[in-house]
Amino acid sequence: MSTRIFSFLSIFILVEVYCYQAFKTLFRKKPSIRYLYIGLHVFLYLALVGTFFLLPETRGKIGMVVSTIIVGLIVPKSVIIFFLFGEDLVRVVRWIVGKIGHPKESSIPKTGSPSSSQSIPRSEFLSKVALATASVPFIAITDGIIREKYNFQVRRVRVPIPGLPPQFEGFTITQLSDIHTGSFDSKKSVKAGIELANEQGSDLMVFTGDIINNRIEEIHGYEDMLRSLHSPLGVYSSLGNHDYGDYYQWKSPQEKADHFQKVLEAHSQLGWNLLKNQNHIFTREDASLALIGVENWGDKMFTRYGKIDEAIKGAEDAQVKILLSHDPTHWDRVVRTEQPGIHLTLSGHTHGSQIGVEIPGWVKWSPVQYIYKQWAGLYQEGEQQLYVNRGFGFIGFSGRVGILPEITVIELVKS
């Protein structure tokens, strides 16, 4: 883990050194501003490294603040690199042409040399354009940190189910996922989101994992809000990768096991029905709907705890089967191939990367799509469907840019 983090850190530093060229060009006559720029960035990166030497209890919050600031700087700088790389490419081509063809000095003006006494050197002009353009994502990220991370969106999705019994026509499910209480910094905003979820008045409320970042103590102060979640058929939940304490430095395996037991007990104390490789069957007259919940199952770097064969026992004859499985890779790798009778899987986990662009009917892009095939919204293969919730909370980056926090309302209809 530390090797991967320092590899990313090295890349970030290279980006900083490259982008500093634009800043230096604009402020070449103001060394005090350049020194301030350098000092600020050195401090931030040292602070990021320093968080790994803090006690585990304090590392999370401080690390997230520092990493959020760095993300807020790195993303705009990727725009700067786009402009500077183009200029440097021209320089390289010019150098090659000069070596091969020996063009006259006047035929290709040197970069940075004004064509007249009134013109701006090309390098300075490009630096200004690059910094001005980079201000757009910088403003968007700042807004995402201050406001958008609590701008909860209700997304309504109609899911056609083959052979859906008429008794369950129009059945609604409100899905929350990835609450991550350890990241929150505004109880008022969280309460508003919880109330919005309750206002949907769905038949059933489900939660698909990651109630915490690392420790169950993170929910302190949010218990009453979470306990207030309700629906006529109750609240049912499953576990996510963060719920196991796999990313925390425990003193012993027993301490980790004891903590996990507290996580399980917390679901019960909140009034939630945790489905830990289990199922619950809802009946309406002679029709049945099975809600199946598995522990976390991840295809990539995440531990596999989920046991779908165990979870589905006793629910084989249900006319409708809905699975709660935190990681969407479970659907593509296991559910579709081994459990063709599961009509709908509800997942989360990806957060949509918390940064991206979504314009319905036009654009749907996020860097997370290069890691996860299914990362946000509804997907279908044959008669099986998957819905990936974009997450209620946030982690790592304390913000949302383009990919907003989500409350999903799913309505079952007959196909």
Side-chain angles (χ1 to χ4, degrees):
M1 178 65 76
S2 59
T3 302
R4 185 164 60 249
I5 290 172
F6 279 100
S7 296
F8 279 117
L9 191 60
S10 299
I11 294 173
F12 289 165
I13 291 175
L14 288 174
V15 170
E16 294 291 358
V17 172
Y18 196 72
C19 289
Y20 175 68
Q21 306 310 311
F23 192 84
K24 184 174 67 174
T25 297
L26 291 180
F27 296 98
R28 60 182 180 275
K29 296 181 180 179
K30 297 180 179 180
S32 59
I33 295 180
R34 299 202 308 272
Y35 295 150
L36 179 63
Y37 178 96
I38 294 172
L40 173 64
H41 285 73
V42 169
F43 171 78
L44 285 174
Y45 282 104
L46 288 177
L48 182 63
V49 173
T51 59
F52 297 100
F53 299 96
L54 295 173
L55 293 174
E57 291 80 3
T58 58
R59 181 185 305 155
K61 283 282 188 181
I62 296 175
M64 187 168 67
V65 170
V66 176
S67 62
T68 296
I69 295 173
I70 290 176
V71 168
L73 294 173
I74 285 291
V75 174
K77 286 171 183 175
S78 65
V79 176
I80 295 176
I81 287 178
F82 174 81
F83 283 91
L84 296 187
F85 182 77
E87 182 188 20
D88 286 344
L89 186 62
V90 170
R91 288 182 181 182
V92 171
V93 172
R94 180 178 293 146
W95 180 82
I96 294 174
V97 170
K99 286 291 184 180
I100 297 175
H102 301 288
K104 294 181 179 180
E105 185 73 18
S106 60
S107 62
I108 305 177
K110 293 182 179 180
T111 300
S113 300
S115 59
S116 71
S117 60
Q118 301 299 320
S119 64
I120 301 176
R122 180 185 301 174
S123 59
E124 182 176 337
F125 171 75
L126 285 176
S127 295
K128 287 183 177 180
V129 172
L131 290 173
T133 306
S135 67
V136 175
F138 179 78
I139 292 171
I141 290 173
T142 302
D143 183 56
I145 294 170
I146 297 173
R147 186 177 64 90
E148 294 291 82
K149 65 185 178 185
Y150 293 119
N151 186 11
F152 299 102
Q153 302 293 299
V154 177
R155 291 181 177 267
R156 301 183 181 277
V157 184
R158 300 186 75 192
V159 177
I161 302 293
L164 180 70
Q167 293 89 337
F168 286 99
E169 180 77 29
F171 186 85
T172 54
I173 304 169
T174 291
Q175 179 197 8
L176 300 179
S177 192
D178 300 88
I179 291 178
H180 290 287
T181 50
S183 299
F184 291 142
D185 52 20
S186 173
K187 291 182 179 179
K188 180 180 178 181
S189 299
V190 175
K191 184 179 179 181
I194 295 294
E195 291 175 348
L196 183 60
N198 283 328
E199 288 171 6
Q200 305 314 307
S202 294
D203 296 299
L204 178 65
M205 180 87 68
V206 300
F207 171 68
T208 48
D210 278 0
I211 191 173
I212 57 174
N213 294 343
N214 294 298
R215 294 181 60 90
I216 196 59
E217 288 79 7
E218 295 165 7
I219 72 170
H220 291 170
Y222 295 95
E223 296 98 329
D224 289 343
M225 300 180 203
L226 298 174
R227 195 176 292 116
S228 71
L229 287 169
H230 66 272
S231 75
L233 295 177
V235 180
Y236 287 79
S237 58
S238 61
L239 297 169
N241 55 297
H242 279 267
D243 297 323
Y244 296 89
D246 288 344
Y247 314 119
Y248 188 82
Q249 295 178 358
W250 303 99
K251 296 178 182 178
S252 67
Q254 186 59 50
E255 184 185 26
K256 180 182 178 182
D258 291 343
H259 176 266
F260 183 58
Q261 186 60 39
K262 292 179 182 178
V263 173
L264 302 182
E265 293 170 357
H267 283 251
S268 177
Q269 292 165 1
L270 294 175
W272 299 0
N273 302 285
L274 177 62
L275 297 177
K276 188 171 175 279
N277 297 321
Q278 298 166 302
N279 67 76
H280 182 87
I281 299 177
F282 300 97
T283 59
R284 288 184 173 180
E285 298 175 0
D286 59 346
S288 59
L289 181 152
L291 185 68
I292 305 161
V294 294
E295 294 190 65
N296 188 71
W297 192 101
D299 183 52
K300 301 184 181 297
M301 66 187 76
F302 304 103
T303 309
R304 300 175 180 180
Y305 299 98
K307 300 175 182 178
I308 187 67
D309 293 335
E310 180 179 322
I312 204 170
K313 286 180 180 178
E316 294 89 349
D317 296 331
Q319 292 153 297
V320 182
K321 299 181 184 70
I322 298 176
L323 174 67
L324 308 182
S325 183
H326 178 72
D327 192 317
T329 59
H330 190 214
W331 181 75
D332 209 31
R333 303 296 190 272
V334 176
V335 178
R336 290 200 304 107
T337 57
E338 299 179 11
Q339 298 293 339
I342 293 179
H343 301 91
L344 173 64
T345 299
L346 302 179
S347 298
H349 183 62
T350 71
H351 300 209
S353 191
Q354 296 173 210
I355 295 180
V357 180
E358 285 195 276
I359 303 175
W362 289 86
V363 180
K364 182 180 178 182
W365 177 88
S366 168
V368 79
Q369 72 187 52
Y370 304 113
I371 303 174
Y372 291 94
K373 182 179 178 181
Q374 296 87 19
W375 58 275
L378 188 64
Y379 301 85
Q380 182 171 1
E381 291 285 346
E383 293 187 342
Q384 290 183 285
Q385 297 181 79
L386 164 73
Y387 190 86
V388 184
N389 181 287
R390 294 161 179 82
F392 185 89
F394 48 88
I395 191 172
F397 170 57
S398 182
R400 292 269 185 169
V401 181
I403 308 293
L404 302 180
E406 175 177 356
I407 298 167
T408 314
V409 178
I410 293 169
E411 180 183 0
L412 305 185
V413 295
K414 187 175 182 179
S415 62

